[in-house]
Amino acid sequence: MIIGDHRQIVIPDLGAIRSSSARLRGLRLIHTHLDGERLTGDDLTDLALLRLDMVSAIEVGENGLPGMMHSAHLIPENPGGDYWLLMEPAYVSETDLNFLAFIQALDEQFARRQGVRKVDSTERAILIRVEIDPLFDSEGSIAELKELARSTGVAVFDSIIQHRHQYDPRYLMGKGKLSDIVIRALQIGANLLIFDHELSPAQVRSIADFTELKVIDRSQLILDIFARRAHSREGKIQVELAQLQYLLPRLATKNTAMSRLTGGIGGTGPGETKLEINRRRVRERIGRLERELKSIQKGRSQRRRLRQKKALPVISIIGYTNTGKSTLLNTLTRSSVLTENLLFATLDPKSSRLRFPREREAIITDTVGFIRNLPRELAAAFRATLEELDEADLLLHVIDVSNPGFEEQILAVERILEDLDLNRKKCIRVFNKVDIFPDSGVLDNLCRRFDAIPISALNPETLHPLLERLESSLYRCRQDHNALPGSNPDITKH
Ligand SMILES: Nc1nc2c(ncn2[C@@H]2O[C@H](COP(=O)(O)OP(=O)(O)OP(=O)(O)O)[C@@H](O)[C@H]2O)c(=O)[nH]1
Ligand SMILES: [Mg+2]
């Protein structure tokens, strides 16, 4: 029972009230309207955000007796895209609705509609992008977010793009739209919102509090993928470092939404117990991990120097994630690096020996894939891994030409190379996956325009022109190299 005044009632935090159903809260709100109005926008927002079973407003007559009752309830997903149903107004005395039976039937309808989407995943997400740049390819960006989500095993139930002139500082989008999303989540049974943005800790908190849904941003999604893929000690440290750096500003205040905030997907976040340790402990751990990482990386660079003494030229495969880099390494060297139609299948660098037709050899390495707007924390943690690319004699840029966004991907990769000061290194472009490119005429043009060699990494027979080009440019560039002091002339003896 809540007592308000003639203007408003204030509903307390209902977070602790959980009904047996995950859908409706098991609470109905019956309140009086003194000015004879029907249900207001605020009433309907409360209905939605609080997942109330029903909201009713009873008019109060001059004599203080109850007048008409206006009621509304949420409705399951429907072709009209409606969120609620306004019931026929009626006098309280004439209402003979068996409420419990009614609401149970409604709850079952929700369950049935939700059940239409059969998934194994416990994480069922709505993807959200708020677009302020009318020229930006927001569809492409959401498509990539979908792939990222799929790579963590999250089921994507819906994706929503909202165009706005500017971001709302608190919620990114308008409150009205966010309320709609809450109802949509209820209708389709989603329990997670993934934003195609980097959200500030305060934004995540406000949105999570407002929607009572778990909220994740693009950075956290990518961190989650990395956490799943890290196998080597080095990779695991790099990822944990990035996770802790991401977490640090989010530990600033203790908040009830904390577990929703930082739990990560399926428990791959740093976990509840670790969250309780304070910021100082987090910083200490960061320091320790950084030291360990340094010593591992030192060991690796020593091993690399040994390898260089053998003076084999090094080719490094680079490119956007999921373009077929590992597949190419496997086909070229008959190795078996894990390849998968998932983003960031490879995290740990892998080297293998490549034998050219004329018996010359090279080392070819495969490394972590690139992505646009890599979270700052990950970029920092993986910087050393990427800086090793500096020791390559030649970069092999693999591009998935079958991806409609491949030009954007080329730009993203080249921007990262520039950041790493690698943009002057010799680089050969290949267009991969030509087997699924629809039009060979268009492909020929593209190859000319981008000076790229067409291949299908799955099919060794398509790789001859690439091998020729690799061998000739390596050989040439090694000869250039041999003019420099310290380089080993052995390689040119063949
Ligand atoms: N159709 C087709 N698919 C390919 C080709 N090359 C690779 N793929 C597929 O593309 C997906 C990604 O391949 P990977 O080799 O794992 O890609 P990657 O660039 O190493 O990806 P990450 O390590 O995740 O960054 C896999 O499902 C491959 O089978 C190709 O030439 N044609
Ligand atoms: Mg790979």
Side-chain angles (χ1 to χ4, degrees):
M1 184 182 290
I2 305 164
I3 299 176
D5 60 23
H6 63 287
R7 284 186 314 263
Q8 61 166 1
I9 49 171
V10 176
I11 301 176
D13 180 13
L14 300 179
I17 301 177
R18 298 256 175 261
S19 69
S20 55
S21 159
R23 294 166 288 273
L24 300 173
R25 195 181 301 262
L27 277 182
R28 40 193 148 141
L29 173 67
I30 304 169
H31 65 304
T32 49
H33 276 181
L34 302 184
D35 295 332
E37 335 99 286
R38 303 163 165 247
L39 290 172
T40 62
D42 283 348
D43 291 335
L44 294 169
T45 306
D46 286 341
L47 173 71
L49 284 181
L50 304 174
R51 289 185 291 112
L52 299 172
D53 292 5
M54 198 181 278
V55 62
S56 302
I58 302 174
E59 294 178 25
V60 181
E62 297 264 315
N63 48 9
L65 289 175
M68 286 292 224
M69 180 168 78
H70 306 270
S71 304
H73 60 81
L74 297 171
I75 50 176
E77 191 182 15
N78 57 85
D82 292 327
Y83 292 142
W84 48 64
L85 183 86
L86 297 173
M87 299 168 81
E88 220 26 71
Y91 285 103
V92 182
S93 54
E94 289 167 6
T95 306
D96 60 355
L97 178 72
N98 179 341
F99 179 78
L100 285 182
F102 175 82
I103 216 67
Q104 197 176 3
L106 181 63
D107 200 56
E108 278 163 15
Q109 271 186 32
F110 266 104
R112 259 201 310 280
R113 275 305 309 171
Q114 291 182 355
V116 172
R117 296 178 170 75
K118 288 223 165 31
V119 286
D120 307 332
S121 174
T122 52
E123 309 279 357
R124 303 174 301 269
I126 296 180
L127 311 184
I128 300 171
R129 178 170 182 90
V130 181
E131 191 55 76
I132 54 168
D133 175 1
L135 297 179
F136 186 77
D137 174 21
S138 35
E139 295 287 342
S141 188
I142 274 278
E144 180 175 281
L145 191 70
K146 202 179 240 167
E147 282 301 295
L148 286 166
R150 194 178 62 80
S151 297
T152 60
V154 168
V156 175
F157 274 14
D158 203 356
S159 51
I160 293 167
I161 299 177
Q162 195 200 16
H163 293 272
R164 279 178 74 90
H165 290 303
Q166 60 189 56
Y167 295 125
D168 180 89
R170 208 148 158 219
Y171 301 111
L172 210 70
M173 59 173 62
K175 252 184 162 168
K177 185 72 185 174
L178 202 54
S179 307
D180 289 353
I181 288 175
V182 174
I183 311 178
R184 180 87 189 125
L186 173 66
Q187 286 183 329
I188 62 183
N191 57 3
L192 170 67
L193 302 180
I194 304 181
F195 282 80
D196 191 19
H197 300 269
E198 194 176 315
L199 299 176
S200 72
Q203 281 170 331
V204 177
R205 209 169 301 132
S206 320
I207 299 170
D209 281 347
F210 186 78
T211 61
E212 294 197 2
L213 291 164
K214 189 161 149 180
V215 174
I216 280 184
D217 67 0
R218 184 174 179 273
S219 301
Q220 194 177 353
L221 189 62
I222 296 177
L223 279 166
D224 269 309
I225 299 177
F226 274 64
R228 272 155 207 266
R229 303 279 189 279
H231 297 299
S232 69
R233 181 77 196 131
E234 182 179 15
K236 284 191 173 140
I237 295 177
Q238 284 168 311
V239 173
E240 191 181 344
L241 261 177
Q243 281 185 319
L244 291 174
Q245 299 281 15
Y246 177 85
L247 184 61
L248 204 51
R250 287 161 175 80
L251 278 179
T253 53
K254 215 166 161 51
N255 188 283
T256 47
M258 205 55 184
S259 57
R260 280 200 302 274
L261 269 177
T262 38
I265 293 170
T268 55
E272 290 291 336
T273 47
K274 280 195 200 160
L275 285 182
E276 280 145 28
I277 58 178
N278 58 29
R279 286 155 63 85
R280 190 169 54 83
R281 296 268 302 279
V282 170
R283 284 214 193 82
E284 278 169 13
R285 176 133 186 96
I286 288 177
R288 225 170 5 203
L289 289 172
E290 277 172 347
R291 282 192 296 279
E292 192 178 340
L293 189 61
K294 260 206 192 100
S295 90
I296 293 177
Q297 284 168 347
K298 206 162 122 199
R300 225 166 37 143
S301 81
Q302 278 162 355
R303 281 196 300 282
R304 225 173 24 246
R305 266 202 296 283
L306 272 179
R307 208 165 58 208
Q308 277 167 351
K309 278 211 179 115
K310 294 192 199 139
L312 288 182
V314 176
I315 303 167
S316 287
I317 304 182
I318 56 155
Y320 213 78
T321 180
N322 208 36
T323 51
K325 301 178 295 297
S326 304
T327 309
L328 180 61
L329 180 90
N330 286 344
T331 311
L332 282 174
T333 66
R334 295 183 196 89
S335 13
S336 52
V337 176
L338 170 83
T339 64
E340 238 176 321
N341 188 16
L342 289 177
L343 306 194
F344 302 111
T346 311
L347 276 201
D348 300 317
K350 151 102 186 148
S351 298
S352 200
R353 212 170 258 243
L354 171 66
R355 201 178 286 273
F356 289 113
R358 271 164 293 214
E359 293 299 303
R360 288 182 199 131
E361 284 192 334
I363 303 280
I364 184 158
T365 69
D366 175 26
T367 189
V368 55
F370 296 5
I371 193 163
R372 77 189 163 82
N373 303 336
L374 185 71
R376 250 174 300 114
E377 299 83 4
L378 274 173
F382 279 81
R383 193 158 182 104
T385 304
L386 292 176
E387 275 170 354
E388 285 175 17
L389 292 173
D390 192 36
E391 287 156 25
D393 295 276
L394 183 64
L395 300 179
L396 184 56
H397 181 176
V398 178
I399 298 149
D400 175 0
V401 73
S402 76
N403 187 318
F406 79 90
E407 290 193 47
E408 276 297 317
Q409 298 189 342
I410 294 178
L411 283 178
V413 168
E414 289 180 350
R415 226 168 281 142
I416 295 169
L417 289 180
E418 216 164 292
D419 277 351
L420 292 165
D421 247 346
L422 293 171
N423 47 336
R424 274 188 300 278
K425 198 164 272 294
K426 181 146 181 62
C427 183
I428 294 179
R429 288 190 185 136
V430 294
F431 275 162
N432 189 28
K433 307 197 188 180
V434 294
D435 53 309
I436 49 172
F437 193 85
D439 186 326
S440 63
V442 175
L443 181 66
D444 287 345
N445 276 335
L446 285 174
C447 286
R448 264 195 301 280
R449 215 177 97 210
F450 287 90
D451 184 25
I453 306 172
I455 62 163
S456 169
L458 290 173
N459 178 3
E461 277 158 31
T462 64
L463 301 181
H464 295 300
L466 171 63
L467 277 169
E468 291 277 318
R469 175 84 169 268
L470 282 178
E471 188 174 16
S472 70
S473 55
L474 256 190
Y475 202 47
R476 227 182 313 125
C477 99
R478 289 299 284 190
Q479 276 177 335
D480 297 347
H481 238 78
N482 285 338
L484 301 171
S487 58
N488 188 327
D490 274 355
I491 185 68
T492 57
K493 275 189 187 156
H494 297 280

